[in-house]
Amino acid sequence: MRKNLKFVSAQEAVKVVKSGDHIHLSSVASAPQILINALVERGENKEFKDVRIHHLHTEGEAPYANPKFEGIFFHQAFFVGSNVRKSVQAGYADYIPIFLSETQKLYRSGTLPCNVAMMQVSTPDNHGFVSLGTSVDATLAAIETADYVIAVVNKNVPRAWGDAMIPLSMIDIFVEDNTPLEPAHFADPDEIECAIGRNCAALIEDGANLQMGIGAIPNAVLAQLGNHKNLGIHTEMFADGVLPLVESGVINGANKAIDKGKLVATFLMGSQKVYDFIDDNPMVLMQDVGYTNDPFIIAKNPKVTAINSALQIDLTGQVCADSIGTKHYSGVGGQVDFIYGASQSQGGKAIIAMPSVTKKGISKIAPVLNLGAGVVTTRNHIHWFVTEHGAVNLYGKSLQERARLLTSIAHPDHRESLEKAAFERFGPHYHHIGL
Ligand code: COA
């Protein structure tokens, strides 16, 4: 198949971009850097203006978000990653609030046009299919709706199965580049993250179907699950922490009602080991984000246990995960999709887990959210809340009960001031509430 492909240079490929276009880039390690560089070259030469760029979290550089391209590129993120954070906070780039499950719908419903979709794909198989590898998410929807689809064929893109497999006929322009995929680096969990991991693991039952977000806490949780049985994975992403559990048979997907025996995800971040693991592995299905993150599909599996992190929680259980006050930090991601899906699953558990204080010692449990903070998980959605000091279930609890429960797992240095704030808020009867 490969010999039939007609490759052009990246410079030639991006010539289809014109002023006013909306461009979608595939995410994480699949961001097509060679096309990005060629596009930025055209931007340097002012060959177009007002080109909007959309994507989820990408690894590597995001030069189009540089303030010097004001008026030429405008990045409107579906999730704010570290490479575009400063530009978004300074107003040179922007953020579109959107549930991860609905990022695909932005294109399929026509809410956002997609003029050019750019991504990396694996080499083709004998049947004329390539794989989207580590980024199916909203990329498949962008491919379906784009005027032009430009694919970088890269032998390092893993041949992931599932919706990731697309026919060559969906692609208009091919570029060849075999740069290795950028691995994602996660620091080893520290003492506090390990304690959070233990407190979360204590809530995970045999037969649970897991979703975990980005960062050190998921790996700290997974490290505690060596003696569990029949765990499954239905998630938006996973990283290295699942690999030893698959190898030992702890993760086998035996207790799934849908996709039995399979690990299901929509994008992946991790080391080369993760990319090797999903390569031609029929046990892994990389699916459209409209499937992985649909709360009603999530809820079809029993014992869905979703663990996500946040920046701040107030004493009533409102969770901010995307901003520090008015300063935008990340995005909603799949947090609400999975919190709600888990809460609707038979025997499911929705968990928000985070350290009780920041590295500077600021309490992340606060009397009220910072002015301008975005509520991601509402106080109606929240169930379990975990810190290094314990786990509490807020579901069905009144505002005053919640304040007592949250204070009980706050950092000891802050419990007194939180008690005082609750007393001021709820009045003298507050202290009569038992738990
Ligand atoms: N007040 C002030 N600053 C705070 C704060 C608070 N309450 N909480 C965190 N911060 C600061 C930290 O000090 C840190 O600052 P630094 O970058 O200068 O070190 C920064 O904010 C990030 O905090 P940290 O705890 O290190 O974040 P993280 O890397 O663990 O990520 C989220 C946490 C919430 C940003 C991340 O989980 C997220 O994006 N979640 C939303 C999306 C989601 O849940 N998706 C589903 C899974 S992919």
Side-chain angles (χ1 to χ4, degrees), residues 37-76:
N37 294 340
L39 195 63
V40 165
E41 230 173 84
R42 287 195 64 200
E44 297 267 10
N45 297 335
K46 300 195 170 37
E47 291 179 32
F48 44 58
K49 58 181 182 173
D50 298 330
V51 168
R52 292 176 192 229
I53 302 203
H54 307 292
H55 57 76
L56 291 153
H57 168 88
T58 57
E59 299 290 337
E61 300 293 313
Y64 43 81
N66 190 307
K68 73 177 181 184
F69 289 118
E70 195 173 9
I72 295 174
F73 294 117
F74 189 39
H75 173 47
Q76 293 176 311

mmCIF file of all heavy atoms in Angstrom, residues 37-76:
data_model
loop_
_atom_site.group_PDB
_atom_site.id
_atom_site.type_symbol
_atom_site.label_atom_id
_atom_site.label_comp_id
_atom_site.label_asym_id
_atom_site.label_seq_id
_atom_site.Cartn_x
_atom_site.Cartn_y
_atom_site.Cartn_z
ATOM 1 N N ASN A 37 5.208 23.467 11.966
ATOM 2 C CA ASN A 37 6.362 24.311 11.610
ATOM 3 C C ASN A 37 6.186 24.943 10.230
ATOM 4 O O ASN A 37 6.498 26.120 10.029
ATOM 5 C CB ASN A 37 7.655 23.501 11.658
ATOM 6 C CG ASN A 37 7.972 23.070 13.084
ATOM 7 O OD1 ASN A 37 7.468 23.668 14.035
ATOM 8 N ND2 ASN A 37 8.776 22.028 13.248
ATOM 9 N N ALA A 38 5.664 24.165 9.279
ATOM 10 C CA ALA A 38 5.467 24.691 7.919
ATOM 11 C C ALA A 38 4.395 25.785 7.922
ATOM 12 O O ALA A 38 4.507 26.793 7.223
ATOM 13 C CB ALA A 38 5.071 23.555 6.976
ATOM 14 N N LEU A 39 3.376 25.583 8.740
ATOM 15 C CA LEU A 39 2.292 26.565 8.851
ATOM 16 C C LEU A 39 2.811 27.864 9.455
ATOM 17 O O LEU A 39 2.485 28.969 8.993
ATOM 18 C CB LEU A 39 1.215 25.958 9.759
ATOM 19 C CG LEU A 39 -0.149 26.591 9.777
ATOM 20 C CD1 LEU A 39 -0.802 26.487 8.415
ATOM 21 C CD2 LEU A 39 -1.024 25.898 10.819
ATOM 22 N N VAL A 40 3.636 27.717 10.488
ATOM 23 C CA VAL A 40 4.187 28.885 11.176
ATOM 24 C C VAL A 40 5.118 29.659 10.226
ATOM 25 O O VAL A 40 5.156 30.893 10.252
ATOM 26 C CB VAL A 40 4.893 28.431 12.472
ATOM 27 C CG1 VAL A 40 5.780 29.524 13.032
ATOM 28 C CG2 VAL A 40 3.847 28.037 13.512
ATOM 29 N N GLU A 41 5.809 28.930 9.376
ATOM 30 C CA GLU A 41 6.665 29.581 8.365
ATOM 31 C C GLU A 41 5.810 30.493 7.475
ATOM 32 O O GLU A 41 6.186 31.633 7.202
ATOM 33 C CB GLU A 41 7.254 28.478 7.482
ATOM 34 C CG GLU A 41 8.761 28.540 7.289
ATOM 35 C CD GLU A 41 9.205 27.283 6.542
ATOM 36 O OE1 GLU A 41 9.121 27.267 5.283
ATOM 37 O OE2 GLU A 41 9.594 26.322 7.216
ATOM 38 N N ARG A 42 4.652 29.970 7.057
ATOM 39 C CA ARG A 42 3.753 30.804 6.236
ATOM 40 C C ARG A 42 3.227 31.985 7.047
ATOM 41 O O ARG A 42 3.036 33.077 6.519
ATOM 42 C CB ARG A 42 2.566 29.964 5.716
ATOM 43 C CG ARG A 42 2.954 28.998 4.614
ATOM 44 C CD ARG A 42 1.721 28.475 3.900
ATOM 45 N NE ARG A 42 0.999 29.533 3.202
ATOM 46 C CZ ARG A 42 -0.275 29.447 2.829
ATOM 47 N NH1 ARG A 42 -0.965 28.357 3.071
ATOM 48 N NH2 ARG A 42 -0.854 30.455 2.204
ATOM 49 N N GLY A 43 3.006 31.740 8.351
ATOM 50 C CA GLY A 43 2.557 32.824 9.232
ATOM 51 C C GLY A 43 3.616 33.911 9.345
ATOM 52 O O GLY A 43 3.298 35.106 9.320
ATOM 53 N N GLU A 44 4.875 33.475 9.457
ATOM 54 C CA GLU A 44 6.008 34.440 9.544
ATOM 55 C C GLU A 44 6.001 35.338 8.308
ATOM 56 O O GLU A 44 6.292 36.523 8.386
ATOM 57 C CB GLU A 44 7.358 33.699 9.564
ATOM 58 C CG GLU A 44 7.587 32.770 10.757
ATOM 59 C CD GLU A 44 8.316 33.438 11.904
ATOM 60 O OE1 GLU A 44 8.472 34.667 11.860
ATOM 61 O OE2 GLU A 44 8.694 32.709 12.853
ATOM 62 N N ASN A 45 5.677 34.734 7.160
ATOM 63 C CA ASN A 45 5.676 35.489 5.895
ATOM 64 C C ASN A 45 4.369 36.250 5.665
ATOM 65 O O ASN A 45 4.155 36.780 4.569
ATOM 66 C CB ASN A 45 5.901 34.534 4.704
ATOM 67 C CG ASN A 45 7.257 33.873 4.791
ATOM 68 O OD1 ASN A 45 8.174 34.420 5.408
ATOM 69 N ND2 ASN A 45 7.385 32.690 4.206
ATOM 70 N N LYS A 46 3.494 36.206 6.677
ATOM 71 C CA LYS A 46 2.187 36.904 6.601
ATOM 72 C C LYS A 46 1.416 36.525 5.324
ATOM 73 O O LYS A 46 0.837 37.384 4.640
ATOM 74 C CB LYS A 46 2.379 38.425 6.677
ATOM 75 C CG LYS A 46 3.054 38.886 7.957
ATOM 76 C CD LYS A 46 2.905 40.375 8.148
ATOM 77 C CE LYS A 46 3.322 40.899 9.488
ATOM 78 N NZ LYS A 46 4.464 40.339 10.161
ATOM 79 N N GLU A 47 1.396 35.223 5.029
ATOM 80 C CA GLU A 47 0.705 34.770 3.808
ATOM 81 C C GLU A 47 -0.798 34.649 4.010
ATOM 82 O O GLU A 47 -1.536 34.367 3.077
ATOM 83 C CB GLU A 47 1.298 33.430 3.343
ATOM 84 C CG GLU A 47 2.715 33.587 2.831
ATOM 85 C CD GLU A 47 3.326 32.271 2.380
ATOM 86 O OE1 GLU A 47 2.582 31.399 1.890
ATOM 87 O OE2 GLU A 47 4.555 32.124 2.535
ATOM 88 N N PHE A 48 -1.254 34.730 5.260
ATOM 89 C CA PHE A 48 -2.694 34.695 5.554
ATOM 90 C C PHE A 48 -2.920 35.429 6.858
ATOM 91 O O PHE A 48 -1.963 35.819 7.553
ATOM 92 C CB PHE A 48 -3.219 33.247 5.637
ATOM 93 C CG PHE A 48 -2.324 32.305 6.404
ATOM 94 C CD1 PHE A 48 -1.982 32.548 7.722
ATOM 95 C CD2 PHE A 48 -1.802 31.161 5.798
ATOM 96 C CE1 PHE A 48 -1.162 31.680 8.431
ATOM 97 C CE2 PHE A 48 -0.972 30.287 6.494
ATOM 98 C CZ PHE A 48 -0.662 30.562 7.822
ATOM 99 N N LYS A 49 -4.204 35.622 7.220
ATOM 100 C CA LYS A 49 -4.515 36.207 8.527
ATOM 101 C C LYS A 49 -5.739 35.512 9.132
ATOM 102 O O LYS A 49 -6.477 34.810 8.424
ATOM 103 C CB LYS A 49 -4.713 37.713 8.407
ATOM 104 C CG LYS A 49 -5.786 38.130 7.446
ATOM 105 C CD LYS A 49 -5.880 39.639 7.377
ATOM 106 C CE LYS A 49 -7.027 39.975 6.429
ATOM 107 N NZ LYS A 49 -7.384 41.334 6.350
ATOM 108 N N ASP A 50 -5.917 35.740 10.432
ATOM 109 C CA ASP A 50 -7.094 35.221 11.162
ATOM 110 C C ASP A 50 -7.300 33.708 11.002
ATOM 111 O O ASP A 50 -8.420 33.247 10.774
ATOM 112 C CB ASP A 50 -8.381 35.947 10.717
ATOM 113 C CG ASP A 50 -8.319 37.429 11.018
ATOM 114 O OD1 ASP A 50 -7.646 37.798 11.999
ATOM 115 O OD2 ASP A 50 -8.912 38.226 10.250
ATOM 116 N N VAL A 51 -6.245 32.951 11.088
ATOM 117 C CA VAL A 51 -6.371 31.495 11.031
ATOM 118 C C VAL A 51 -6.550 30.979 12.455
ATOM 119 O O VAL A 51 -5.736 31.261 13.329
ATOM 120 C CB VAL A 51 -5.123 30.859 10.363
ATOM 121 C CG1 VAL A 51 -5.113 29.353 10.556
ATOM 122 C CG2 VAL A 51 -5.102 31.216 8.885
ATOM 123 N N ARG A 52 -7.654 30.278 12.689
ATOM 124 C CA ARG A 52 -7.934 29.773 14.048
ATOM 125 C C ARG A 52 -7.446 28.340 14.190
ATOM 126 O O ARG A 52 -7.660 27.524 13.296
ATOM 127 C CB ARG A 52 -9.431 29.827 14.327
ATOM 128 C CG ARG A 52 -9.881 31.269 14.414
ATOM 129 C CD ARG A 52 -11.348 31.367 14.598
ATOM 130 N NE ARG A 52 -11.707 32.764 14.393
ATOM 131 C CZ ARG A 52 -12.469 33.465 15.205
ATOM 132 N NH1 ARG A 52 -12.982 32.915 16.272
ATOM 133 N NH2 ARG A 52 -12.748 34.715 14.943
ATOM 134 N N ILE A 53 -6.820 28.080 15.316
ATOM 135 C CA ILE A 53 -6.263 26.738 15.538
ATOM 136 C C ILE A 53 -6.916 26.128 16.777
ATOM 137 O O ILE A 53 -6.942 26.749 17.846
ATOM 138 C CB ILE A 53 -4.736 26.819 15.711
ATOM 139 C CG1 ILE A 53 -4.166 27.456 14.446
ATOM 140 C CG2 ILE A 53 -4.147 25.448 16.033
ATOM 141 C CD1 ILE A 53 -2.764 27.175 14.129
ATOM 142 N N HIS A 54 -7.458 24.907 16.609
ATOM 143 C CA HIS A 54 -8.135 24.219 17.714
ATOM 144 C C HIS A 54 -7.433 22.901 18.012
ATOM 145 O O HIS A 54 -7.033 22.183 17.087
ATOM 146 C CB HIS A 54 -9.581 23.888 17.332
ATOM 147 C CG HIS A 54 -10.365 25.066 16.847
ATOM 148 N ND1 HIS A 54 -10.717 26.112 17.671
ATOM 149 C CD2 HIS A 54 -10.859 25.374 15.615
ATOM 150 C CE1 HIS A 54 -11.398 27.010 16.978
ATOM 151 N NE2 HIS A 54 -11.495 26.591 15.727
ATOM 152 N N HIS A 55 -7.328 22.592 19.276
ATOM 153 C CA HIS A 55 -6.862 21.255 19.678
ATOM 154 C C HIS A 55 -7.055 21.055 21.163
ATOM 155 O O HIS A 55 -7.280 22.011 21.912
ATOM 156 C CB HIS A 55 -5.398 21.026 19.272
ATOM 157 C CG HIS A 55 -4.404 22.023 19.803
ATOM 158 N ND1 HIS A 55 -3.969 22.013 21.103
ATOM 159 C CD2 HIS A 55 -3.744 23.038 19.200
ATOM 160 C CE1 HIS A 55 -3.072 22.987 21.273
ATOM 161 N NE2 HIS A 55 -2.933 23.644 20.133
ATOM 162 N N LEU A 56 -6.901 19.800 21.573
ATOM 163 C CA LEU A 56 -6.840 19.471 23.001
ATOM 164 C C LEU A 56 -5.378 19.623 23.431
ATOM 165 O O LEU A 56 -4.594 20.245 22.720
ATOM 166 C CB LEU A 56 -7.358 18.037 23.204
ATOM 167 C CG LEU A 56 -8.864 17.915 22.939
ATOM 168 C CD1 LEU A 56 -9.232 16.516 22.502
ATOM 169 C CD2 LEU A 56 -9.630 18.291 24.204
ATOM 170 N N HIS A 57 -5.029 19.012 24.539
ATOM 171 C CA HIS A 57 -3.640 19.089 25.006
ATOM 172 C C HIS A 57 -2.667 18.516 23.956
ATOM 173 O O HIS A 57 -2.898 17.427 23.442
ATOM 174 C CB HIS A 57 -3.538 18.278 26.303
ATOM 175 C CG HIS A 57 -2.158 18.024 26.749
ATOM 176 N ND1 HIS A 57 -1.476 18.893 27.561
ATOM 177 C CD2 HIS A 57 -1.304 17.018 26.473
ATOM 178 C CE1 HIS A 57 -0.264 18.427 27.764
ATOM 179 N NE2 HIS A 57 -0.132 17.281 27.123
ATOM 180 N N THR A 58 -1.616 19.280 23.635
ATOM 181 C CA THR A 58 -0.591 18.734 22.733
ATOM 182 C C THR A 58 0.765 18.726 23.427
ATOM 183 O O THR A 58 1.052 19.602 24.238
ATOM 184 C CB THR A 58 -0.451 19.575 21.434
ATOM 185 O OG1 THR A 58 -0.141 20.934 21.785
ATOM 186 C CG2 THR A 58 -1.707 19.533 20.593
ATOM 187 N N GLU A 59 1.576 17.726 23.086
ATOM 188 C CA GLU A 59 2.980 17.712 23.556
ATOM 189 C C GLU A 59 3.794 18.546 22.579
ATOM 190 O O GLU A 59 3.398 18.741 21.425
ATOM 191 C CB GLU A 59 3.532 16.283 23.568
ATOM 192 C CG GLU A 59 2.787 15.316 24.482
ATOM 193 C CD GLU A 59 2.990 15.599 25.950
ATOM 194 O OE1 GLU A 59 4.003 16.229 26.318
ATOM 195 O OE2 GLU A 59 2.107 15.211 26.746
ATOM 196 N N GLY A 60 4.954 19.009 23.010
ATOM 197 C CA GLY A 60 5.851 19.758 22.115
ATOM 198 C C GLY A 60 5.479 21.238 22.072
ATOM 199 O O GLY A 60 4.666 21.729 22.856
ATOM 200 N N GLU A 61 6.089 21.938 21.099
ATOM 201 C CA GLU A 61 5.911 23.390 20.999
ATOM 202 C C GLU A 61 4.579 23.753 20.351
ATOM 203 O O GLU A 61 4.040 22.994 19.554
ATOM 204 C CB GLU A 61 7.030 23.979 20.125
ATOM 205 C CG GLU A 61 8.440 23.737 20.661
ATOM 206 C CD GLU A 61 8.695 24.484 21.961
ATOM 207 O OE1 GLU A 61 8.362 25.680 22.018
ATOM 208 O OE2 GLU A 61 9.209 23.853 22.904
ATOM 209 N N ALA A 62 4.076 24.950 20.714
ATOM 210 C CA ALA A 62 2.859 25.473 20.084
ATOM 211 C C ALA A 62 3.173 26.900 19.610
ATOM 212 O O ALA A 62 2.637 27.878 20.141
ATOM 213 C CB ALA A 62 1.702 25.458 21.074
ATOM 214 N N PRO A 63 4.040 27.056 18.594
ATOM 215 C CA PRO A 63 4.548 28.383 18.224
ATOM 216 C C PRO A 63 3.479 29.359 17.745
ATOM 217 O O PRO A 63 3.632 30.572 17.875
ATOM 218 C CB PRO A 63 5.543 28.082 17.092
ATOM 219 C CG PRO A 63 5.234 26.715 16.616
ATOM 220 C CD PRO A 63 4.624 25.983 17.762
ATOM 221 N N TYR A 64 2.359 28.838 17.205
ATOM 222 C CA TYR A 64 1.266 29.694 16.704
ATOM 223 C C TYR A 64 0.601 30.482 17.839
ATOM 224 O O TYR A 64 -0.123 31.441 17.582
ATOM 225 C CB TYR A 64 0.215 28.840 15.971
ATOM 226 C CG TYR A 64 -0.082 27.563 16.736
ATOM 227 C CD1 TYR A 64 -0.959 27.556 17.803
ATOM 228 C CD2 TYR A 64 0.590 26.381 16.428
ATOM 229 C CE1 TYR A 64 -1.168 26.405 18.544
ATOM 230 C CE2 TYR A 64 0.385 25.232 17.156
ATOM 231 C CZ TYR A 64 -0.503 25.251 18.225
ATOM 232 O OH TYR A 64 -0.692 24.127 18.966
ATOM 233 N N ALA A 65 0.837 30.068 19.086
ATOM 234 C CA ALA A 65 0.226 30.785 20.219
ATOM 235 C C ALA A 65 1.119 31.937 20.688
ATOM 236 O O ALA A 65 0.771 32.652 21.622
ATOM 237 C CB ALA A 65 -0.034 29.812 21.368
ATOM 238 N N ASN A 66 2.252 32.112 20.021
ATOM 239 C CA ASN A 66 3.165 33.194 20.383
ATOM 240 C C ASN A 66 2.520 34.556 20.079
ATOM 241 O O ASN A 66 1.960 34.744 19.001
ATOM 242 C CB ASN A 66 4.464 33.028 19.558
ATOM 243 C CG ASN A 66 5.550 33.957 20.026
ATOM 244 O OD1 ASN A 66 5.345 35.161 20.130
ATOM 245 N ND2 ASN A 66 6.708 33.386 20.311
ATOM 246 N N PRO A 67 2.607 35.507 21.030
ATOM 247 C CA PRO A 67 1.994 36.828 20.825
ATOM 248 C C PRO A 67 2.397 37.499 19.514
ATOM 249 O O PRO A 67 1.632 38.291 18.960
ATOM 250 C CB PRO A 67 2.510 37.646 22.010
ATOM 251 C CG PRO A 67 2.868 36.655 23.053
ATOM 252 C CD PRO A 67 3.231 35.377 22.344
ATOM 253 N N LYS A 68 3.562 37.135 18.986
ATOM 254 C CA LYS A 68 3.995 37.818 17.752
ATOM 255 C C LYS A 68 3.083 37.485 16.551
ATOM 256 O O LYS A 68 3.132 38.170 15.533
ATOM 257 C CB LYS A 68 5.462 37.498 17.428
ATOM 258 C CG LYS A 68 5.717 36.114 16.920
ATOM 259 C CD LYS A 68 7.184 35.938 16.575
ATOM 260 C CE LYS A 68 7.440 34.547 16.041
ATOM 261 N NZ LYS A 68 8.797 34.238 15.776
ATOM 262 N N PHE A 69 2.273 36.449 16.703
ATOM 263 C CA PHE A 69 1.379 36.077 15.596
ATOM 264 C C PHE A 69 -0.023 36.654 15.744
ATOM 265 O O PHE A 69 -0.966 36.174 15.111
ATOM 266 C CB PHE A 69 1.310 34.550 15.456
ATOM 267 C CG PHE A 69 2.574 33.948 14.920
ATOM 268 C CD1 PHE A 69 3.298 33.045 15.689
ATOM 269 C CD2 PHE A 69 3.046 34.286 13.664
ATOM 270 C CE1 PHE A 69 4.469 32.491 15.198
ATOM 271 C CE2 PHE A 69 4.213 33.735 13.175
ATOM 272 C CZ PHE A 69 4.929 32.839 13.936
ATOM 273 N N GLU A 70 -0.159 37.653 16.610
ATOM 274 C CA GLU A 70 -1.487 38.256 16.793
ATOM 275 C C GLU A 70 -2.021 38.739 15.437
ATOM 276 O O GLU A 70 -1.307 39.402 14.675
ATOM 277 C CB GLU A 70 -1.396 39.426 17.773
ATOM 278 C CG GLU A 70 -2.768 39.817 18.264
ATOM 279 C CD GLU A 70 -2.737 40.853 19.373
ATOM 280 O OE1 GLU A 70 -1.664 41.412 19.665
ATOM 281 O OE2 GLU A 70 -3.815 41.096 19.940
ATOM 282 N N GLY A 71 -3.269 38.359 15.138
ATOM 283 C CA GLY A 71 -3.879 38.761 13.854
ATOM 284 C C GLY A 71 -3.612 37.750 12.745
ATOM 285 O O GLY A 71 -4.282 37.756 11.718
ATOM 286 N N ILE A 72 -2.616 36.879 12.961
ATOM 287 C CA ILE A 72 -2.313 35.858 11.940
ATOM 288 C C ILE A 72 -2.902 34.517 12.387
ATOM 289 O O ILE A 72 -3.695 33.898 11.678
ATOM 290 C CB ILE A 72 -0.790 35.772 11.714
ATOM 291 C CG1 ILE A 72 -0.330 37.098 11.118
ATOM 292 C CG2 ILE A 72 -0.444 34.591 10.794
ATOM 293 C CD1 ILE A 72 1.145 37.242 10.963
ATOM 294 N N PHE A 73 -2.498 34.104 13.615
ATOM 295 C CA PHE A 73 -3.108 32.900 14.197
ATOM 296 C C PHE A 73 -3.893 33.309 15.432
ATOM 297 O O PHE A 73 -3.502 34.244 16.145
ATOM 298 C CB PHE A 73 -2.022 31.912 14.659
ATOM 299 C CG PHE A 73 -1.210 31.321 13.546
ATOM 300 C CD1 PHE A 73 0.154 31.554 13.474
ATOM 301 C CD2 PHE A 73 -1.796 30.511 12.586
ATOM 302 C CE1 PHE A 73 0.927 31.006 12.463
ATOM 303 C CE2 PHE A 73 -1.037 29.957 11.562
ATOM 304 C CZ PHE A 73 0.321 30.201 11.505
ATOM 305 N N PHE A 74 -4.974 32.589 15.700
ATOM 306 C CA PHE A 74 -5.682 32.747 16.972
ATOM 307 C C PHE A 74 -5.987 31.341 17.465
ATOM 308 O O PHE A 74 -6.775 30.612 16.859
ATOM 309 C CB PHE A 74 -6.962 33.570 16.770
ATOM 310 C CG PHE A 74 -7.634 33.959 18.065
ATOM 311 C CD1 PHE A 74 -6.881 34.343 19.182
ATOM 312 C CD2 PHE A 74 -9.020 33.956 18.179
ATOM 313 C CE1 PHE A 74 -7.499 34.717 20.378
ATOM 314 C CE2 PHE A 74 -9.646 34.328 19.364
ATOM 315 C CZ PHE A 74 -8.885 34.705 20.456
ATOM 316 N N HIS A 75 -5.306 30.943 18.555
ATOM 317 C CA HIS A 75 -5.530 29.606 19.095
ATOM 318 C C HIS A 75 -6.741 29.629 20.018
ATOM 319 O O HIS A 75 -6.783 30.401 20.971
ATOM 320 C CB HIS A 75 -4.279 29.151 19.865
ATOM 321 C CG HIS A 75 -4.478 27.863 20.599
ATOM 322 N ND1 HIS A 75 -5.061 26.752 20.018
ATOM 323 C CD2 HIS A 75 -4.173 27.505 21.864
ATOM 324 C CE1 HIS A 75 -5.109 25.777 20.906
ATOM 325 N NE2 HIS A 75 -4.588 26.203 22.030
ATOM 326 N N GLN A 76 -7.719 28.798 19.713
ATOM 327 C CA GLN A 76 -8.882 28.645 20.595
ATOM 328 C C GLN A 76 -8.904 27.192 21.064
ATOM 329 O O GLN A 76 -9.310 26.286 20.336
ATOM 330 C CB GLN A 76 -10.169 28.995 19.849
ATOM 331 C CG GLN A 76 -10.236 30.485 19.491
ATOM 332 C CD GLN A 76 -11.466 30.821 18.676
ATOM 333 O OE1 GLN A 76 -11.758 30.150 17.686
ATOM 334 N NE2 GLN A 76 -12.191 31.849 19.077
#
